[in-house]
């Protein structure tokens, strides 16, 4: 585990991207493949299935260090990261500077993974035994493996860049091979960096091409004719693969969701072998998309009963064809791929093709965009007809032109500490609106402020705390924020009776007084307005 | 006058709106407003404040106190351990191991003894005398780092780490800008590094003046030069620069070209504290007592009552009460402990 600890330290000790890539390349080069595979597993944010309840870890460390529960909780609130707080608490006796090296793969395969089959007392004995002998920095890593994510301030893009540089491959090839599920093994890592580009894995999706938000007026994109315009569907972005007799439906989060959508999988079995579609999983009935909340309800269900399937029927709205007859089509222009897609999916109602919006000018298009909400879509996708299918968020060929979000002016009511590197700041907030003279919480939001604003707000919160409930503080209801959100739904679970979708902070309205904030009635009106 | 927590007999030290006050001796300790007579534990800004009529401090701190309080301030001094009768009480100063000249103040009144710790640490420091436990009935302790995660490594290891970082940056042709408090931390680093190298270190103006005070007091440190004396256009590649944290992000930083930043502070023990402030490196080094140091000290004084100021006072008081069975309570004061700048 020394190597991973060295890498972690190197990544942690710099804010420079190049230095990080350099450290990663060095790690992949110098580490045996079976260990590098595990390193990669953690670097890409993958995590083990929870082996030990964190409650047990807390209890063990409290017992070992004789720390009362209230003191542990206070300390944890300051550090914000369970793995770190455990490592810091245990770091009190003389610790070995280095232990006998056990390679990462053996740590994982001989020690960590087998914990799964053990009883709690047996787990306790092993884990606390390792706690006693591991040097401080490895102790922290080991705890991270047990508690979850071990991201080290490197994005997947950086990891891919480093791997590609190490393997002498194009980043796209590496990123493709990294998609989907894989087991961290010597074979996997060797195949990952192998020069031969044809891989055998039939379930593997292509990296998704992601649209960039359109910030300029669309007229600046030039000729209207050079672009294909579709609705921006409000569902789950997916890739549907039909290869060698199998069907695989991947979400953009690289999750295999085939089993969540049996009707799509069933219909896909009749597609010709060697087909890969890019599109959107939608709640869909009678040729019309249904609100996203229906799809959401279905995702939340443990069991897909016949009733659930009937309440929220799903379909795959296709908008691109990435592979046909086993041939990778991504290099062809969209115009060509689109023509093939339409021909392929003719008369297949489970696979509607995303219709093309024909409004002939940018002005008429802007007009049509007003229909978005009533159609349960989020605006437009604008794609260059001559473009190949790229990967990642490469700007220039795919744009999303979203409709303006809903807004509400709400009052800061509670502050919650952040996690990880922001653990000692208040970064998560609960906002409220007026109902008569009462303030009712309507949303929790954490994104949207600059670091500088977060720091300023943090100081304000500390100076204007009314009460503390564990790590949460209630503050004087004085600060008004403009929130944006994408939708609103009735929710009996909330005291306000409503739930906002994707609420985030648009700006801090220091120009407004609490009396200027919105009322619940105004939000309720949105609820009842025609969808 | 606000009186401190419920005490069964007339307390020797109370909290008033002006600061800690000793009624039978009629003096204040580290007052935050001007008073008639102020006893000063040490020269940090939140302890030695300007404007009182008469000051009493330790002999080794007098140079620093003059800097802080002005040339006209009326300052008398006492050597460590020397006794002085003030009103009805006898006072003496005892080493606190915090910075040059820092002291705990012992107050004796009709056989009862109170000690006000000021800021202190238990780790060795070549720039000042080590903390001396003083037996007392009531001990007023600081609690800046009163959580069990705060434990300090051997300072020599931290100094080696700083030197490795400096060497690494030298090799890469970068400057190393190390933020640290201008009084105490900077000189301690310069003294610790002097065991490992003899290279010259550049210092910010605010730090420079205080380094001179330490040199006059006979503390051995690396040679230093103020950044302000450098020619325009000088390359800082390979240099180590010590600056107060307030210089971070200021235009003063622009001159250094390619550089890495570090921060030497007890707060750097927690990873999030460093990452949030965007320093490349954090060095865990504090002039305050760590958790074991606080507990050990509370016991060593033999005090039957502990009052806690500075920082996590509620936490330390509760732990002493519930887990060590001591009579302990928080005492609220506006001292700042190790602040961010
Ligand atoms: Zn101090
Ligand atoms: Zn202080």
């Amino acid at each position: 585990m020394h190597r991973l600890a060295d890498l972690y330290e190197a990544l942690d000790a710099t804010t420079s991207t190049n230095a990080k890539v350099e450290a990663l390349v060095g790690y992949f080069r110098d580490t045996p493949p079976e260990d590098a595979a595990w390193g990669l597993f953690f670097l890409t944010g993958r995590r083990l299935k929870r082996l030990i309840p964190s409650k047990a870890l807390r209890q063990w460390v409290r017992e070992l260090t004789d720390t009362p529960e209230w003191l542990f909780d206070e300390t944890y609130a300051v550090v914000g990261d369970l793995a770190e707080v455990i490592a810091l608490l245990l770091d009190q006796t003389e610790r070995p500077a280095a232990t006998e090296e056990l390679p990462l793969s053996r740590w994982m395969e001989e020690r960590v993974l087998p914990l799964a089959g053990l009883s709690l007392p047996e787990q306790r004995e092993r884990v606390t035994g390792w706690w006693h002998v591991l040097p401080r920095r490895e102790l922290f890593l080991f705890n991270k493996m047990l508690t979850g994510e071990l991201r080290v301030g490197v994005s997947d893009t950086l990891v891919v860049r480093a791997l590609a540089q190490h393997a002498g491959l194009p980043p796209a090839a590496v990123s493709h091979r990294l998609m989907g599920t894989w087991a961290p093994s010597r074979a996997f890592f060797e195949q990952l960096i192998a020069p031969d580009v044809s891989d055998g894995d039939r379930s593997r999706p292509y990296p998704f091409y992601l649209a960039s938000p359109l910030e300029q007026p669309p007229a600046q994109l030039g000729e209207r004719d050079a672009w294909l315009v579709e609705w921006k569907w409000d569902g789950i972005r997916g890739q549907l693969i039909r290869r060698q007799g199998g069907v695989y439906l991947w979400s953009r989060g690289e999750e295999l969701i085939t089993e969540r959508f049996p009707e799509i999988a069933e219909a896909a079995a009749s597609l010709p072998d060697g087909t890969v579609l890019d599109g959107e999983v939608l709640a869909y009935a009678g040729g019309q998309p249904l609100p996203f909340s229906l799809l959401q309800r279905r995702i939340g269900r443990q069991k897909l009963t016949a009733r659930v399937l009937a309440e929220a029927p799903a379909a795959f709205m296709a908008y691109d064809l990435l592979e046909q007859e086993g041939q990778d089509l991504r290099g062809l222009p969209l115009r060509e791929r689109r023509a093939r897609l339409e021909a392929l999916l003719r008369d297949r109602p489970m696979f509607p093709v995303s219709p093309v919006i024909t409004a002939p000018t940018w002005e008429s298009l802007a007009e049509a965009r007003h229909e978005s909400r009533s159609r349960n879509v989020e605006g437009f996708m604008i794609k260059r007809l001559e473009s190949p299918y790229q990967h990642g968020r490469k700007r220039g060929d795919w744009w999303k032109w979203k409709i303006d979000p809903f807004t509400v002016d709400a009052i800061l009511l509670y502050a919650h500490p952040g996690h990880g590197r922001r653990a000692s700041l208040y970064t998560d907030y609960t906002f409220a609106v007026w109902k008569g003279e009462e303030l009712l919480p309507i949303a929790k939001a954490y994104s949207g402020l600059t670091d500088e604003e977060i720091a300023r707000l943090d100081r304000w919160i500390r100076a204007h705390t009314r009460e503390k409930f564990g790590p949460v503080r209630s503050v004087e209801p004085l600060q008004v924020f403009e929130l944006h959100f994408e939708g609103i739904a009735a929710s009996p679970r909330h005291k306000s009776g409503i739930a906002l979708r994707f609420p985030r902070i648009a700006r801090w309205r220091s120009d407004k007084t609490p009396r200027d904030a919105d009322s619940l009635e105004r939000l309720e009106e949105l609820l009842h307005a025609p969808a | 006058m606000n009186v401190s927590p419920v005490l069964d007999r007339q307390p020797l030290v109370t909290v008033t709106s002006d600061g800690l006050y000793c009624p039978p001796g009629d003096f204040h300790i580290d007052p935050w407003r001007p008073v008639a007579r102020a006893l000063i534990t040490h020269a940090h800004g939140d302890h030695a404040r300007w404007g009182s009529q008469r000051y009493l401090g330790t002999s080794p701190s007098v140079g620093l106190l003059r800097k802080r309080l002005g040339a006209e301030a009326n300052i008398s001094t006492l050597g460590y351990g020397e006794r002085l009768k003030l009103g009805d009480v006898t006072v003496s100063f005892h080493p606190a191991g915090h910075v040059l000249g820092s002291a705990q103040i012992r107050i004796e009144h009709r056989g009862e003894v109170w000690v006000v710790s000021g800021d202190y640490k238990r780790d060795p420091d070549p720039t000042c005398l080590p903390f001396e436990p003083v037996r007392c009935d009531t001990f007023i302790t600081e609690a800046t780092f009163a959580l069990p995660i705060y434990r300090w490594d051997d300072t020599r290891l931290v100094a080696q780490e700083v030197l490795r970082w400096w060497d690494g940056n030298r090799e890469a042709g970068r400057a190393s800008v190390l933020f640290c408090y201008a009084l105490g931390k900077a000189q301690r680093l310069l003294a610790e590094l002097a065991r490992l190298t003899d290279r010259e270190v550049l210092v910010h103006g605010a730090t420079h003046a205080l380094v001179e005070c330490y040199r006059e007091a006979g503390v051995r440190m690396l040679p230093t030069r103020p950044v302000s004396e450098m020619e325009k256009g000088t390359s800082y590649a390979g240099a180590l620069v010590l600056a107060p944290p307030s210089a971070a992000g200021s235009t003063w930083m622009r001159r250094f070209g390619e550089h890495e930043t570090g921060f030497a502070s007890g707060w750097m023990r927690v990873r999030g504290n460093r990452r949030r402030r965007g320093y490349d490196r954090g060095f865990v080094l504090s002039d305050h007592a760590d958790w074991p140091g606080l507990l050990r000290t509370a016991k060593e004084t033999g005090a039957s009552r502990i009052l806690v100021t500075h920082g996590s006072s509620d936490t330390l008081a509760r732990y002493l009460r519930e887990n060590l069975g001591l009579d302990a309570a928080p005492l609220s004061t506006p001292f700042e402990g190790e602040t961010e700048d």
Side-chain angles (χ1 to χ4, degrees):
Chain A
M1 201 163 19
H2 294 353
R3 279 204 183 84
L4 188 63
D6 288 341
L7 173 67
Y8 190 90
E9 216 165 66
L11 294 173
D12 203 42
T14 180
T15 41
S16 139
T17 307
N18 285 338
K20 284 183 181 182
V21 171
E22 202 179 302
L24 286 164
V25 172
Y27 174 77
F28 293 132
R29 185 189 55 225
D30 301 337
T31 308
E34 61 273 25
D35 300 322
W38 274 106
L40 184 64
F41 178 85
F42 289 117
L43 287 166
T44 49
R46 276 153 226 261
R47 46 164 82 204
L48 300 173
K49 218 168 66 214
R50 178 141 308 218
L51 295 163
I52 300 173
S54 61
K55 209 175 107 201
L57 294 173
R58 287 181 215 216
Q59 193 188 330
W60 301 342
V61 74
R62 289 207 296 104
E63 287 165 6
L64 287 181
T65 60
D66 219 354
T67 309
E69 190 166 6
W70 64 269
L71 184 56
F72 181 88
D73 292 345
E74 253 180 58
T75 309
Y76 185 21
V78 166
V79 178
D81 176 312
L82 185 59
E84 186 178 356
V85 89
I86 293 176
L88 288 174
L89 281 174
L90 289 171
D91 182 35
Q92 45 180 291
T93 43
E94 280 300 307
R95 299 202 70 79
T99 37
E100 216 184 306
E101 167 67 345
L102 187 68
L104 182 61
S105 55
R106 294 191 48 202
W107 251 105
M108 299 310 303
E109 284 150 27
E110 294 169 20
R111 294 186 169 180
V112 176
L113 294 179
L115 287 171
L118 300 181
S119 68
L120 263 181
E122 288 170 312
Q123 289 184 330
R124 183 186 195 281
E125 197 187 315
R126 298 208 182 174
V127 170
T128 56
W130 297 323
W131 277 351
H132 281 301
V133 298
L134 279 171
R136 189 198 301 169
R137 49 183 217 156
E138 292 175 33
L139 184 61
F140 171 68
L141 287 184
F142 169 64
N143 292 337
K144 277 289 201 187
M145 291 166 188
L146 293 181
T147 56
E149 217 172 296
L150 211 172
R151 278 225 199 242
V152 245
V154 289
S155 61
D156 284 357
T157 324
L158 282 195
V159 176
V160 166
R161 215 165 100 193
L163 271 172
Q165 200 173 317
H166 167 54
L169 290 168
V174 172
S175 135
H176 188 196
R177 291 177 188 189
L178 263 179
M179 289 202 71
T181 32
W182 45 265
S185 65
R186 180 183 190 99
F188 168 74
F189 195 81
E190 283 175 340
Q191 175 261 317
L192 182 70
I193 55 171
D196 178 12
V197 188
S198 71
D199 353 61
D201 191 346
R202 58 186 186 165
S203 73
R204 178 159 296 148
Y206 293 102
F208 286 87
Y209 183 32
L210 307 176
S212 310
L214 186 67
E215 277 138 10
Q216 73 272 39
Q220 288 183 19
L221 295 176
E223 287 293 306
R224 167 74 181 82
D225 291 352
W227 300 86
L228 177 127
V229 180
E230 301 161 65
W231 296 110
K232 183 176 183 327
W233 302 104
D234 189 11
I236 302 169
R237 176 84 182 272
Q239 206 174 115
L240 185 62
I241 296 174
R242 165 91 179 114
R243 282 189 197 127
Q244 297 172 42
V247 170
Y248 312 90
L249 179 59
W250 292 93
S251 76
R252 210 194 95 192
E254 294 177 35
E255 227 184 311
L256 205 47
I257 52 172
T258 327
E259 269 143 41
R260 309 301 303 163
F261 299 96
E263 65 270 64
I264 296 177
E266 207 172 293
S270 70
L271 289 170
D273 212 77
T275 302
V276 178
L277 302 175
D278 183 12
E280 197 95 4
V281 176
L282 296 174
Y284 195 85
Q288 288 298 324
L290 305 172
F292 183 76
S293 52
L294 271 177
L295 195 62
Q296 215 165 19
R297 209 174 300 166
R298 176 159 160 179
I299 301 164
R301 287 296 156 83
Q302 215 34 266
K303 255 208 166 110
L304 286 178
T305 58
R307 206 172 120 220
V308 175
L309 291 178
E311 265 174 14
F316 188 86
M317 176 74 82
Y319 37 68
D320 215 323
L321 181 60
L322 309 185
E323 186 177 307
Q324 189 173 30
E325 292 166 11
Q327 294 291 311
D328 180 352
L329 302 188
R330 292 176 299 159
L332 294 179
L334 172 61
R335 188 191 300 281
E336 173 70 24
R337 299 198 308 273
R338 173 83 196 193
R340 293 192 189 202
L341 178 74
E342 285 171 12
L344 176 73
L345 296 183
R346 192 163 299 140
D347 304 323
R348 289 180 189 269
M350 274 309 283
F351 302 105
V353 175
S354 175
V356 174
I357 297 158
T358 50
T361 61
W362 293 117
E363 292 77 47
S364 52
L365 205 54
E367 198 60 36
R369 187 160 154 267
H370 295 306
E371 298 167 26
S372 298
R373 254 188 199 115
S374 63
R375 288 173 175 270
N376 290 321
V377 299
E378 298 181 287
F380 287 141
M381 292 294 301
I382 304 180
K383 302 172 177 172
R384 195 189 294 278
L385 277 163
E386 295 309 319
S387 62
Y389 189 90
Q390 319 223 42
H391 65 90
R393 206 178 290 278
K394 205 157 256 160
R395 286 173 74 86
D397 288 341
W398 279 27
W399 301 99
K400 48 185 176 192
W401 187 22
K402 291 184 45 160
I403 37 176
D404 299 330
F406 293 109
T407 77
V408 59
D409 287 336
I411 299 172
L412 175 64
L413 203 57
Y414 300 106
H416 317 248
H419 288 281
R421 73 183 185 95
R422 289 191 157 161
S424 43
L425 281 175
Y426 287 93
T427 61
D428 297 14
Y429 319 103
T430 300
F431 296 96
V433 293
W434 294 106
K435 182 182 183 183
E437 288 305 301
E438 201 190 345
L439 280 171
L440 280 186
I442 47 153
K444 223 176 137 174
Y446 51 91
S447 61
L449 295 179
T450 63
D451 281 358
E452 191 267 324
E453 283 173 322
I454 291 173
R456 187 148 51 93
L457 187 55
D458 180 76
R459 284 193 296 274
W460 186 90
I461 287 164
R462 285 170 203 274
H464 296 83
T465 298
R466 290 214 300 204
E467 268 179 285
K468 294 187 197 175
F469 316 91
V472 180
R473 292 172 179 229
S474 75
V475 299
E476 293 166 29
L478 293 174
Q479 297 296 341
V480 180
F481 289 80
E482 179 181 329
L483 307 184
H484 285 180
F485 57 98
E486 296 302 322
I488 182 167
S491 167
R493 282 192 303 120
H494 294 92
K495 199 174 163 204
S496 61
I498 54 163
L500 305 187
R501 187 155 169 250
F502 291 140
R504 68 257 179 201
I505 302 165
R507 69 194 70 132
W508 188 347
R509 299 297 303 253
S510 3
D511 56 320
K512 293 208 168 186
T513 71
R515 272 293 139 204
D516 301 327
D518 278 312
S519 67
L520 188 64
E521 289 79 48
R522 195 185 73 83
L523 287 172
E524 283 166 346
E525 275 163 28
L526 292 177
L527 193 62
H528 301 306
Chain B
M1 189 200 289
N2 312 312
V3 176
S4 67
V6 204
L7 298 167
D8 41 346
R9 42 184 214 172
Q10 200 59 275
L12 280 189
V13 177
T14 62
V15 181
T16 73
S17 49
D18 296 328
L20 294 176
Y21 177 65
C22 173
D26 191 23
F27 59 83
H28 287 82
I29 297 172
D30 296 347
W32 42 87
R33 289 199 198 147
V35 298
R37 184 192 280 277
L39 272 60
I40 302 297
T41 60
H42 66 288
H44 272 147
D46 57 327
H47 293 261
R49 293 181 200 246
W50 182 85
S52 288
Q53 287 167 33
R54 281 187 297 168
Y55 291 95
L56 180 64
T58 66
S59 324
S61 68
V62 72
L64 294 169
L65 289 179
R66 283 244 165 275
K67 275 236 137 48
R68 178 78 66 197
L69 302 171
E72 316 76 48
N74 176 353
I75 306 176
S76 349
T77 61
L78 273 185
Y80 285 122
E82 215 180 307
R83 292 172 163 237
L84 178 72
K85 192 107 177 114
L86 286 177
D88 253 359
V89 306
T90 306
V91 297
S92 53
F93 290 97
H94 302 268
H98 176 54
V99 296
L100 176 64
S102 65
Q104 317 168 61
I105 296 177
R106 180 182 184 277
I107 305 164
E108 186 175 342
H109 177 67
R110 297 182 189 152
E112 185 184 2
V113 176
W114 285 45
V115 169
V116 177
S117 78
D119 293 345
Y120 68 94
K121 70 170 172 291
R122 305 301 306 265
D123 309 74
D125 178 343
T127 70
C128 59
L129 290 180
F131 179 93
E132 171 195 311
V134 179
R135 293 201 69 84
C136 54
D137 301 300
T138 298
F139 182 55
I140 301 184
T141 181
E142 65 136 313
T144 307
F145 287 104
L147 281 180
I149 46 170
Y150 293 113
R151 291 165 200 274
W152 313 145
D153 281 335
D154 189 327
T155 318
R156 283 165 305 182
L157 295 179
V158 182
Q160 283 166 16
E161 229 185 292
V162 171
L163 185 66
R164 268 201 303 278
W165 173 64
W166 181 10
D167 284 341
N169 285 332
R170 259 161 68 102
E171 266 168 51
R174 285 189 293 259
S176 309
V177 182
L178 182 55
F179 298 111
C180 53
Y181 305 109
L183 169 54
K185 195 74 62 69
Q187 295 76 19
R188 186 176 172 203
L189 276 163
L190 289 168
E192 288 286 352
L193 287 170
R195 305 177 204 253
L196 306 171
T197 174
D198 53 8
R199 300 199 293 251
E200 185 183 70
V201 175
L202 301 179
V203 292
H204 185 276
T207 312
H208 172 68
L210 297 160
V211 169
E212 289 307 301
C213 279
Y214 271 65
R215 286 201 201 283
E216 278 157 30
V219 176
R220 194 175 99 78
M221 291 174 288
L222 285 182
T224 50
R225 189 159 15 144
V227 170
S228 56
E229 281 178 17
M230 306 297 281
E231 303 258 319
K232 240 199 146 116
T234 312
S235 160
Y236 290 88
L240 173 66
V241 184
L242 299 188
S246 55
S250 70
T251 51
W252 183 81
M253 293 291 297
R254 284 194 199 140
R255 67 191 76 204
F256 298 117
E258 203 194 330
H259 65 271
E260 278 200 2
T261 57
F263 185 33
S265 161
W267 301 117
M268 295 297 101
R269 177 90 168 148
V270 176
R271 190 172 164 261
N273 282 338
R274 172 171 61 78
R275 298 211 58 91
R276 186 151 54 76
R277 300 191 179 112
Y279 301 115
D280 294 308
R281 288 296 296 272
F283 300 99
V284 184
L285 186 68
S286 177
D287 286 328
H288 292 268
D290 60 4
W291 175 255
L294 292 167
L295 301 185
R296 177 180 146 210
T297 307
K299 283 186 245 173
E300 284 177 3
T301 59
S304 56
R305 177 190 293 127
I306 314 270
L307 299 176
V308 189
T309 67
H310 260 71
S312 310
S313 43
D314 293 341
T315 311
L316 182 59
R318 180 168 175 193
Y319 188 84
L320 293 175
R321 219 168 38 235
E322 295 182 3
N323 295 72
L324 302 189
L326 294 168
D327 176 8
L331 190 63
S332 129
T333 62
F335 296 127
E336 289 156 5
E338 193 165 337
T339 52
E340 282 179 39
D341 39 35

